[in-house]
Amino acid sequence: MEKEDTGSTRQDMAKPNRKYKDSVFTALFDSKETLLELYKVLHPEDTEVTADDIEEIALENVLLIRRYNDAAMGIRDKLIILSEHQSTINPNMPVRILLYIAGEYEKIIKRNGDYKSLYSSKLIMLPAPEFYVVYTGNKKCGDYMHLTDAFPGEYRNSSFLNLDIKVIKDEDKNNILGGYIAFVKKAEKLKRTQGYTFTKALKEAVAWCREENILAGFMEERSEEMMELMLEEWNIEDAIKYNREEGREEGREEGIEEGMKKGMVYAYYEMNMNTKEIAQKMQLTEAEVLEIISKKER
């Protein structure tokens, strides 16, 4: 991908919006080195690529969601967007990625000063897009997802707007992407096992990864951060599910936040963190932490 000096640094362009939290997925792919590993999984035929070819891209969160589960990179003449499907099939992934790619192309055109060229005879050159979705669930899922599936039936063979996404779902302990899928599947399986708390499931999944040499560097250096991020994800899912089952519409956001907060307090307590440390992490008073824990133990 061509890079031009436009007065703003790549670091400026890549600063994420911190009101949204990272997920384990984005934490794993937050450096040129891990993005390079990812690219080599997607393009094993490219044996000459180096970290210097990688452009880190922070996608702007186009939807009102709490977490980023998407990664992107520019490399030479390609723009690659990778989204995490997680364990539940989401048929709206192509729509979500359509919004991302439109936003990224707009930024590229603006950065290169090509807005006026949109109305001229000059052809604006854009990096070629590649779209991928990582699926970690166990239900049957096709190899591709298509934007045209969202169109009325008579227009689904339309060639006016095609956006096809390759679905990656195979476990492979020997690479970063397959290793991530293997880890998530193991953790999800343990989470559903009778007698397992979220914390116990994650601890055992991390220990299994170390034994199997899966995501070795990440597990060695950042396993505690990874566990916290995954616990937050699970507690958000749990709180949303609880609110839905209870039919709570009014105060839904507050209910989800409250459920997530309690879940994280319980999780930290199970990790043998003392109440003072928990209070600091959760920005609560120690008395509030003790009250939450006491209700759990009743």
Side-chain angles (χ1 to χ4, degrees):
M1 184 190 289
E2 262 190 297
K3 305 177 183 69
E4 293 187 22
D5 184 4
T6 61
S8 60
T9 65
R10 183 176 297 170
Q11 287 76 12
D12 292 332
M13 297 296 292
K15 285 180 182 176
N17 182 344
R18 282 298 170 194
K19 74 176 181 177
Y20 299 104
K21 295 182 179 179
D22 285 335
S23 63
V24 176
F25 186 77
T26 50
L28 181 59
F29 299 115
D30 67 355
S31 70
K32 284 190 175 187
E33 289 69 31
T34 52
L35 285 171
L36 178 61
E37 287 186 59
L38 169 62
Y39 178 78
K40 286 181 176 180
V41 175
L42 302 175
H43 287 278
E45 78 286 353
D46 190 347
T47 57
E48 297 181 0
V49 63
T50 69
D52 290 335
D53 295 315
I54 302 289
E55 177 186 359
E56 298 175 83
I57 295 175
L59 295 168
E60 290 192 16
N61 205 317
V62 294
L63 304 175
L64 297 178
I65 55 176
R66 288 173 175 73
R67 309 186 75 81
Y68 277 107
N69 288 82
D70 311 287
M73 64 177 142
I75 182 158
R76 301 192 186 112
D77 57 356
K78 291 191 281 287
L79 175 57
I80 296 174
I81 296 179
L82 190 78
S83 291
E84 185 183 16
H85 215 1
Q86 298 185 300
S87 56
T88 303
I89 295 173
N90 180 351
N92 297 308
M93 280 295 195
V95 178
R96 175 166 144 189
I97 288 181
L98 173 67
L99 298 177
Y100 277 140
I101 192 63
E104 290 307 307
Y105 278 157
E106 182 180 16
K107 284 193 288 185
I108 289 168
I109 291 168
K110 184 177 180 180
R111 190 171 63 197
N112 292 342
D114 281 335
Y115 262 127
K116 290 183 180 179
S117 297
L118 286 170
Y119 304 95
S120 74
S121 59
K122 174 188 174 184
L123 177 64
I124 295 173
M125 301 305 295
L126 296 171
E130 291 184 12
F131 308 121
Y132 300 90
V133 162
V134 177
Y135 178 54
T136 58
N138 295 312
K139 292 184 179 180
K140 188 175 180 180
C141 182
D143 294 330
Y144 283 87
M145 303 183 73
H146 312 280
L147 179 65
T148 52
D149 289 341
F151 300 163
E154 63 268 30
Y155 299 103
R156 288 185 184 170
N157 292 323
S158 169
S159 59
F160 284 107
L161 183 59
N162 285 328
L163 191 157
D164 300 327
I165 306 172
K166 185 174 182 180
V167 180
I168 299 172
K169 49 196 171 181
D170 294 332
E171 299 178 45
D172 187 339
K173 299 176 182 179
N174 298 314
N175 70 60
I176 193 168
L177 197 51
Y180 173 79
I181 295 170
F183 159 69
V184 173
K185 284 191 171 184
K186 182 71 172 182
E188 290 282 351
K189 181 179 179 181
L190 291 169
K191 185 179 74 168
R192 295 190 297 270
T193 302
Q194 188 174 2
Y196 275 75
T197 62
F198 287 177
T199 308
K200 183 180 178 182
L202 277 175
K203 284 182 175 179
E204 195 163 311
V206 169
W208 174 76
C209 283
R210 286 175 170 159
E211 289 171 8
E212 299 292 327
N213 200 33
I214 297 171
L215 303 177
F218 191 73
M219 290 298 176
E220 183 66 29
E221 297 172 11
R222 300 173 66 180
S223 61
E224 186 175 336
E225 175 194 3
M226 181 276 299
M227 286 183 64
E228 288 188 18
L229 289 170
M230 185 67 90
L231 285 168
E232 286 181 3
E233 289 183 45
W234 282 355
N235 279 304
I236 289 172
E237 290 172 8
D238 214 36
I240 291 173
K241 182 181 177 183
Y242 173 76
N243 269 33
R244 188 183 297 123
E245 288 174 350
E246 293 295 311
R248 297 182 177 185
E249 291 300 328
E250 292 183 11
R252 188 168 181 269
E253 286 293 316
E254 291 80 0
I256 292 170
E257 294 296 337
E258 186 67 19
M260 186 185 74
K261 179 177 70 177
K262 290 178 180 178
M264 288 307 298
V265 168
Y266 302 149
Y268 286 137
Y269 187 62
E270 288 172 357
M271 293 167 72
N272 298 318
M273 194 177 288
N274 65 50
T275 54
K276 186 174 181 180
E277 290 175 317
I278 297 172
Q280 288 176 339
K281 272 189 170 290
M282 297 299 299
Q283 297 182 331
L284 298 170
T285 65
E286 196 167 358
E288 288 172 324
V289 170
L290 287 167
E291 183 182 0
I292 292 170
I293 292 170
S294 67
K295 288 180 179 177
K296 174 75 171 178
E297 292 180 337
R298 285 174 192 168

